[in-house]
Amino acid sequence: MEDGNKFIEVRDLHVEFDVRAGIIKAVDGMWLEINRGQTVGVIGESGCGKSVTARAIMNMVPKPGKISGGEILYHRKNKDTGEVTTIDITKLDPDGEVIRQIRGGEIGMIFQEPMSSLTPVYTAGTHIYEAVSLHRLVPVKKVGDQMVETIMTYRKVTKQEAREIAIDMLRRVGIPKPDQRVDSYPHQLSGGQRQRVMIAIALSCEPEMLIADEPTTALDVSIEAQILDVMRELQHSVNMAIMFITHNLGVIAEMAEEIVVMYMGKQVERAKVVDLFYDPKHPYTQALLRSIPKIGKRGERLATIEGMVPDPFHLPTGCVFHPRCPMFMPGKCDRIVPTNKEVASNHWASCLLYEEV
């Protein structure tokens, strides 16, 4: 890809949480590249660092966490001149004017838990400006009001036009009677409707990149398909990049062009979606794919990954996956830390099985 197509480059990212019991390395050497118009999926078990990576890109790592190393290069394109300037997001003031311009208007995010993202003293529209731009809510506004404020902040429209955009976006994400629901409070909405409001919040400003953190977890399959269609439509219309975080391998196979697999804060494999599903290289990825239920196979036990995710305060030496790995090599995997190697064309894996490649 040409440099003009690059959007975000995450280089050797490290995020740590210094808590009373010790230091947790939530993200430990993450490499990621997302181009304009591209969808990159990020998968892995809970606690592997997916959401922390997303928050680091937004420069929103909650305290006592901090970005302790690496770069997050944002290739910002001027819409008028087409000139591209590179900004290291890790160097920006988390509360500064530059990052506040980037959040919401240029990089939007669908947060994982709508129950904690929306406050009961706000109606649906009230939440949008604070949730996307400031990432906190202040009383007292409606759901629709906050959507309107956000849209007017990042798009050159009147208040009435912004309200119409908000209602249309609520309609597109499957909210019934959106012209009425726009003035509702969160306690008047179901959990799935709250999730759809958060999706509408992130999409309403037509960001150049969308970070979707488990965006369809609380939704039924028909609404999920509708949401994914809206994302694709917006992606094609504004050449939007998408970072899609999920546990649903079926959705990721449908949405993503490239997949990154994480385990205990580390990137263990990265490949094009077809290559990763048909020829996974890392034992952890192979185990994840084996655990998918197969249609028509009755009476067989589902495949599982042996063992448990290790204690983050006492990580195993060598490869962190070795205590659970079926291909464990004693004296090697428990001593040597693997590095990312290109094991096939545009296919990277962090495993000692490929150290000679």
Side-chain angles (χ1 to χ4, degrees), residues 238-292:
V238 298
N239 201 29
M240 181 177 70
I242 299 177
M243 177 180 176
F244 202 102
I245 300 170
T246 185
H247 292 282
N248 191 326
L249 297 179
V251 169
I252 212 72
E254 181 183 352
M255 287 290 294
E257 302 167 37
E258 188 173 297
I259 298 178
V260 174
V261 184
M262 294 188 70
Y263 183 78
M264 294 309 297
K266 297 180 181 293
Q267 175 186 301
V268 297
E269 188 163 1
R270 173 168 59 90
K272 298 295 183 182
V273 62
V274 173
D275 296 335
L276 189 126
F277 273 87
Y278 285 96
D279 188 21
K281 299 296 186 182
H282 197 282
Y284 176 62
T285 310
Q286 295 168 1
L288 282 179
L289 295 177
R290 281 197 301 269
S291 67
I292 301 174

Side-chain angles (χ1 to χ4, degrees), residues 146-219:
Q146 190 169 339
M147 290 185 76
V148 167
E149 288 186 19
T150 307
I151 294 167
M152 292 181 67
T153 299
Y154 296 111
R155 297 174 65 175
K156 296 178 181 180
V157 294
T158 65
K159 188 172 183 178
Q160 181 59 36
E161 289 171 336
R163 181 177 173 84
E164 291 172 1
I165 291 170
I167 293 172
D168 180 61
M169 187 57 69
L170 290 176
R171 180 182 294 109
R172 290 170 69 183
V173 298
I175 296 289
K177 299 181 179 178
D179 53 334
Q180 299 177 25
R181 290 299 187 184
V182 75
D183 293 317
S184 298
Y185 287 89
H187 71 272
Q188 297 174 308
L189 305 176
S190 68
Q193 287 174 332
R194 296 184 205 185
Q195 180 68 12
R196 280 175 269 170
V197 168
M198 293 305 299
I199 293 170
I201 286 171
L203 295 177
S204 61
C205 295
E206 297 184 342
E208 296 176 56
M209 175 178 168
L210 175 68
I211 300 175
D213 190 357
E214 297 283 355
T216 58
T217 300
L219 307 177

Side-chain angles (χ1 to χ4, degrees), residues 10-32:
V10 178
R11 296 181 176 179
D12 197 25
L13 178 66
H14 295 259
V15 181
E16 297 179 349
F17 287 80
D18 191 352
V19 296
R20 186 174 300 176
I23 295 177
I24 297 176
K25 295 182 178 180
V27 180
D28 190 11
M30 180 68 171
W31 294 79
L32 179 67

